[in-house]
Amino acid sequence: MVKELTGSGIRINEEPPKVQIEKKISGGLEVFSNFKQSIDKEVVKDIAREFGIKSGTITLQEKLSMDRLFDAFSVNRVYVPAIFVINKVDEDPDYKEKIGRRICGY
């Protein structure tokens, strides 16, 4: 269930990426980071250009994966807190494990 929601742009029990994007009229793209990133700054600039950002300042305030980086630029992502409830019928340990995998995708 969570996998399907994630594929639709809904992020369950996640915080939005800590990325500040300040668009400018001219001057090109600058990328700053408070953390050592595994993603090259040129890759960040290329992704920003794909999302229509030609000039501006991008500040990465956490260590990001590629998925989180794409989420930072996407305007259609929704972050929702959730609680999963299992009732008495679900007390069988094998059933709990099975339903946990189905709901949480692990």
Side-chain angles (χ1 to χ4, degrees):
M1 179 188 300
V2 173
K3 285 182 183 178
E4 289 87 5
L5 292 172
T6 300
S8 299
I10 299 170
R11 305 296 184 251
I12 301 294
N13 293 333
E14 289 184 27
E15 292 292 322
K18 294 179 182 172
V19 176
Q20 289 182 336
I21 302 168
E22 182 184 334
K23 295 180 184 179
K24 295 180 182 174
I25 296 172
S26 63
L29 283 169
E30 293 181 300
V31 178
F32 300 101
S33 179
N34 297 344
F35 296 88
K36 182 167 174 52
Q37 300 290 331
S38 59
I39 303 168
D40 187 47
K41 289 183 179 183
E42 289 304 314
V43 173
V44 175
K45 290 179 183 180
D46 289 341
I47 293 170
R49 287 185 195 102
E50 288 291 322
F51 281 90
I53 301 169
K54 307 292 183 208
S55 295
T57 303
I58 302 165
T59 306
L60 311 175
Q61 299 176 334
E62 69 177 59
K63 187 165 176 62
L64 293 171
S65 65
M66 286 298 284
D67 289 336
R68 298 268 298 159
L69 182 61
F70 278 107
D71 285 353
F73 288 106
S74 299
V75 295
N76 65 345
R77 299 296 186 252
V78 179
Y79 296 86
V80 181
I83 297 174
F84 298 100
V85 178
I86 299 174
N87 64 21
K88 231 177 182 184
V89 75
D90 306 324
E91 283 185 2
D92 176 33
D94 294 332
Y95 186 73
K96 275 197 237 183
E97 182 70 24
K98 182 176 144 187
I99 200 76
R101 272 192 229 121
R102 194 171 128 231
I103 291 173
C104 300
Y106 65 86

